[in-house]
Amino acid sequence: MNIFVLMKRTFDTEEKILIENGSISEDDAEFIINPYDEYAIEEALQLKEAHGGEVTVVTVGSEESEKELRTALAMGCDKAVLINIEEDLEDGDQFTTAKILYEFLKDKEADIILAGNVAIDGGSGQVGPRLAELLDIPYVTTITNIEIDGKNVKIVRDVEGDSEIIETTLPLLVTAQQGLNEPRYPSLPGIMKAKKKPLEELELDDLDLEEEDVMPKTKTLEIYLPPKKEAGKILQGELQDQVKELVSLLRSEAKVI
Amino acid sequence: MARKVFVLGEIRDQFLRNVSFEALAAGKIISEGGEVVAGLIGENVRTLANDMIYYGADRVVIVEDEKLKYYSPDGYSQAVMAIIDSEKPDAIIFGHTALGKDLSPKIAAKLNAGLISDATAVEIVGGNVVFTRPIYSGKAFEKKIITDGIIFATVRPNNIPPLEKNESRSGEVASISVEIKDLRTIVREVVQNAAEGVDLSEAKVIVAGGRGVKSAEGFEPLKELASVLGGAVGASRGACDANYCDYSLQIGQTGKVVTPDLYIACGISGAIQHLAGMSNSKVIVAINKDPEANIFNVADYGIVGDLFEVVPMLTEEFKKLKIHSS
C-alpha cells in the first residue's frame, strides 16, 4: 500500500500564548507534532504492518519542521517530505496548503492519505477535505476505526459522540479523531534509523507552482488574547450554605439558571 | 453593501439545530439589507422551512431526496452546489458542526474559495465582513476577512445570538430537484452512544469531571446534576485517559472546545490544555478539594470541598428550585 500522512508542527498543548508585535511569539515555545496527526501517523504505521507498503510523511512548513519529520521517521515512517515555503510565501491559508499538497500528491498514486482532523493551533480542519476534493477522491473525517480489505474500507466515524459506520473504497483520505489508536513513542533504534532515512526537501519551484497560484484567500487583521478574567468568588462557610449561596448567585447575579 | 447570503440549515432528529438560527443571524448581519436565502437538505425537510423564515430567512430553497437521509460529503455537496449555482450568493454561512466542518472545505475547494472556520462573531467594519475566531483552542483570537471571491464562513454553535422568532414573517419555499448520484461513502448505520440527550457543543449547561471523579461510577452524581439542569456531561483529558469515560466527552485543546452559559468543573485541576477547551464559557463554577487548584483562577464561583458531597447537594437545591418555579 502506498500510504501518505499529512503532518503539521504545532505549539505544545501546555504552552502559554504570548503576543509580540501583533503575532504569536514563538520564542522559547516547545513544538510538537500536532496531536491529531500523531494518531494519523500511528494508524498509517499499523496499516503498513497489516498490509505492507510504504509510509511517507509530508509537511508544508519551514526548516524547523525537520525535527518533527525526524520524529515521525523515528516512529517508523519510511520517508519524509518537507515542502519548504518559508522563502517563497509571506502568507498562506488553508487554500494555499491544500493547493501545494495537491500539486505534490497528484501524481503519487496514493492508496490512502491520513491526516489529523484538525490542527490545534489554527483549528480550521480544512486541509484534509479540501485536498481530497482537489484529488477527486472520497474522504471521511474524524475516524475512530478503519478496516481495509482489498479495495473495500469500513470506517467508524465519530459524529459529536455518535458513531457512523461508513463503507467506502480506496483511494481515500481520512482524518483521525482521538481514540483511533494509541500513538507509539519512537524507540531508540528507531531514532538511530531515522537519521539515515530519506528526507526530501522541496520548494514551490519543484512543484511548478508560482506564488500567485497559491495566494491566500483570507487575511488576518488582528491577533489578540482574550480579556483576563477577574478573580472569582470563593464561597465560605458551611458547605450546605455555600451550595445554597451558589444556586442563588447563579440565579440572581450570573442569571444563567 | 447589500449582499445575498446563503445560510445552510441543519437538521438533527427531525428538528432544526439551534445553530441554524444563529447562522441566520450571522447571515442577516452580513447581508446588510440584502436577501438571506436558507437552504435545507434531507429526505423530508419541507415542514421545517417556515422556522427558518421565522428566524430571519427571506426565502428557503429545499433539496429532498432519499439519498440525503444521512449526511454524505458527495450527496450534500451536490445539493449545496445546485443551490449555489441557482442562487449565486455573495456569501455562504454554515454551522461549525460535525456536518459543517466536514462539508464546508469541500464546497470551498469546489468554489476555489477562502473559508473562515469556526467564527464566534461577525461584524461589518468599513464595508468589510470581519469574522472573529478562536485560535490555539481559545487561548487567543484572530479577526479575519476574505480577500478574494465569495465570503464563506462557518459559525460556532452557542456564540452568535439568534434573532427573535417572528411567526408573522412569511417567505417563499421553493424546491429544486437534483439528481443525487455516485455517493462514494455510504453510511450503513448510526450508533447513538455517548450523547445521552444533550450534545456537548450545543449544551447551555455542562457538568464536567476530572481525575477527582476517581472512577466511571464517580460520574453518576455529575450525570444527575446535568440531567436536572438539562445539560450535558463532559470530562477532562485526565478522566478520559484514566478510562473513567469515553473520549467523546473530552473537553480541552485536544477534544472539544465548548462555550456553554454555565460550566461546572468538578474535581478538575485546570491544566492549560483543559482551560483551552472551556475558559470562554460564560459562567464557570469550580468544585475542588484543593484550594490551590488552577481551575479557581478562571472560575467565577468556587467551592472548596469534596465533589461527592457538593454535587449531590447542588442537585437537591436545583431540584427544589425547579419545583418552586413550576
Side-chain angles (χ1 to χ4, degrees):
Chain A
M1 252 170 118
N2 192 11
I3 306 167
F4 285 83
V5 189
L6 314 179
M7 187 211 81
K8 187 177 186 184
R9 171 180 191 261
T10 61
F11 264 52
D12 194 332
T13 51
E14 292 296 321
E15 286 289 330
K16 280 203 166 125
I17 302 293
L18 297 170
I19 292 179
E20 265 173 35
N21 304 324
S23 57
I24 306 272
S25 165
E26 297 194 347
D27 301 348
D28 313 319
E30 288 288 327
F31 283 83
I32 54 170
I33 294 175
N34 175 42
Y36 291 102
D37 300 349
E38 273 192 337
Y39 299 119
I41 293 168
E42 174 62 37
E43 201 61 27
L45 297 174
Q46 291 187 15
L47 288 176
K48 179 191 161 178
E49 284 155 12
H51 304 277
E54 188 177 74
V55 178
T56 307
V57 56
V58 188
T59 198
V60 176
S62 65
E63 204 77 32
E64 273 101 47
S65 315
E66 222 185 287
K67 181 174 152 259
E68 285 71 31
L69 286 174
R70 289 283 173 207
T71 307
L73 291 173
M75 285 170 76
C77 294
D78 301 292
K79 295 198 294 197
V81 176
L82 165 62
I83 305 174
N84 191 341
I85 55 166
E86 201 174 17
E87 286 183 7
D88 293 330
L89 291 182
E90 215 168 283
D91 225 348
D93 64 3
Q94 299 81 13
F95 166 83
T96 310
T97 309
K99 187 86 188 275
I100 292 170
L101 287 169
Y102 165 70
E103 287 298 329
F104 173 72
L105 281 158
K106 66 181 182 187
D107 55 3
K108 296 288 184 291
E109 291 179 354
D111 292 305
I112 187 163
I113 301 169
L114 301 100
N117 85 78
V118 71
I120 59 168
D121 49 8
S124 78
Q126 292 182 24
V127 171
R130 272 183 184 267
L131 175 62
E133 173 62 27
L134 294 174
L135 290 167
D136 197 20
I137 59 173
Y139 64 89
V140 182
T141 58
T142 59
I143 73 163
T144 55
N145 194 50
I146 180 166
E147 286 167 33
I148 299 179
D149 182 7
K151 286 276 169 208
N152 296 320
V153 186
K154 200 172 158 194
I155 285 173
V156 182
R157 172 174 184 244
D158 169 55
V159 188
E160 296 170 10
D162 291 343
S163 301
E164 282 180 356
I165 315 298
I166 292 176
E167 286 174 13
T168 184
T169 52
L170 299 179
L172 174 72
L173 184 145
V174 293
T175 73
Q177 175 66 304
Q178 198 159 29
L180 176 61
N181 53 44
E182 197 62 57
R184 68 193 68 184
Y185 290 100
S187 64
L188 195 57
I191 293 167
M192 298 309 289
K193 269 191 226 158
K195 289 177 182 162
K196 293 193 196 102
K197 286 181 179 173
L199 192 157
E200 185 184 9
E201 192 175 327
L202 300 171
E203 292 184 7
L204 288 190
D205 256 2
D206 305 308
L207 299 171
D208 286 327
L209 278 172
E210 302 287 340
E211 193 185 338
E212 55 263 32
D213 299 331
V214 293
M215 287 279 273
K217 305 277 185 185
T218 57
K219 187 178 165 192
T220 298
L221 304 177
E222 188 190 349
I223 292 177
Y224 59 97
L225 297 178
K228 260 220 174 337
K229 271 199 116 156
E230 282 178 38
K233 194 183 280 181
I234 304 289
L235 306 181
Q236 307 288 341
E238 289 293 316
L239 217 44
Q240 187 70 53
D241 296 335
Q242 287 189 36
V243 168
K244 281 191 164 54
E245 189 188 349
L246 175 63
V247 171
S248 138
L249 284 167
L250 290 175
R251 277 197 89 183
S252 53
E253 192 177 87
K255 297 192 169 65
V256 285
I257 296 296
Chain B
M1 182 185 118
R3 296 180 187 86
K4 187 179 197 178
V5 185
F6 166 53
V7 174
L8 181 66
E10 190 177 331
I11 298 150
R12 182 167 176 147
D13 300 332
Q14 275 102 58
F15 287 98
L16 285 165
R17 297 183 70 173
N18 278 333
V19 70
S20 311
F21 308 137
E22 295 161 8
L24 281 171
K28 200 85 185 165
I29 294 169
I30 296 162
S31 74
E32 292 196 83
E35 198 180 24
V36 177
V37 181
L40 288 178
I41 295 170
E43 191 181 26
N44 202 339
V45 299
R46 184 173 277 273
T47 50
L48 300 169
N50 277 337
D51 273 340
M52 292 301 276
I53 289 170
Y54 298 157
Y55 279 97
D58 298 307
R59 286 192 288 122
V60 182
V61 179
I62 61 176
V63 181
E64 295 180 312
D65 192 301
E66 60 181 15
K67 293 199 193 76
L68 298 170
K69 180 181 181 194
Y70 292 116
Y71 166 75
S72 69
D74 289 331
Y76 271 54
S77 64
Q78 289 163 23
V80 163
M81 287 307 290
I83 299 174
I84 292 172
D85 287 343
S86 83
E87 294 292 336
K88 304 194 169 45
D90 305 303
I92 306 172
I93 303 294
F94 290 4
H96 196 68
T97 56
L99 186 155
K101 284 180 215 177
D102 191 85
L103 181 62
S104 57
K106 183 176 175 77
I107 302 293
K110 278 185 185 291
L111 296 171
N112 213 18
L115 168 62
I116 295 174
S117 302
D118 202 15
T120 52
V122 57
E123 60 197 325
I124 309 290
V125 183
N128 276 326
V129 181
V130 180
F131 295 93
T132 301
R133 62 185 300 274
I135 49 175
Y136 298 86
S137 313
K139 289 181 196 169
F141 285 85
E142 64 177 352
K143 287 190 189 275
K144 220 167 174 179
I145 55 170
I146 301 266
T147 49
D148 181 21
I150 196 164
I151 294 169
F152 192 2
T154 62
V155 295
R156 176 184 291 200
N158 253 348
N159 281 268
I160 297 167
L163 301 168
E164 206 161 311
K165 186 175 184 180
N166 179 354
E167 296 194 24
S168 69
R169 285 176 56 86
S170 62
E172 180 199 68
V173 179
S175 165
I176 51 177
S177 80
V178 183
E179 194 198 344
I180 304 297
K181 56 179 184 189
D182 304 331
L183 304 187
R184 293 172 296 181
T185 59
I186 305 289
V187 176
R188 286 291 171 216
E189 195 186 343
V190 179
V191 185
Q192 301 197 329
N193 32 24
E196 288 170 9
V198 187
D199 168 17
L200 263 183
S201 62
E202 282 202 332
K204 297 284 178 201
V205 177
I206 292 175
V207 182
R211 281 196 182 274
V213 170
K214 288 184 191 142
S215 66
E217 297 74 46
F219 266 95
E220 288 306 320
L222 276 60
K223 283 183 192 162
E224 277 178 47
L225 177 56
S227 117
V228 169
L229 292 169
V233 173
S236 73
R237 181 175 183 163
C240 297
D241 283 347
N243 266 329
Y244 303 163
C245 62
D246 193 80
Y247 276 112
S248 62
L249 299 188
Q250 186 185 324
I251 292 164
Q253 186 149 17
T254 47
K256 295 197 170 61
V257 178
V258 295
T259 43
D261 291 343
L262 174 60
Y263 190 92
I264 305 180
C266 311
I268 292 178
S269 62
I272 293 182
Q273 121 88 26
H274 184 72
L275 299 186
M278 49 62 79
S279 60
N280 296 310
S281 303
K282 287 177 196 92
V283 174
I284 297 168
V285 171
I287 300 163
N288 202 303
K289 273 202 285 201
D290 175 9
E292 302 297 320
N294 195 36
I295 191 78
F296 287 117
N297 293 326
V298 298
D300 298 276
Y301 306 108
I303 292 183
V304 178
D306 183 352
L307 74 95
F308 292 107
E309 277 184 73
V310 178
V311 172
M313 282 184 197
L314 260 179
T315 307
E316 284 312 307
E317 282 301 314
F318 283 122
K319 270 189 191 160
K320 280 188 214 160
L321 208 64
K322 265 184 134 174
I323 293 163
H324 278 293
S325 55
S326 59

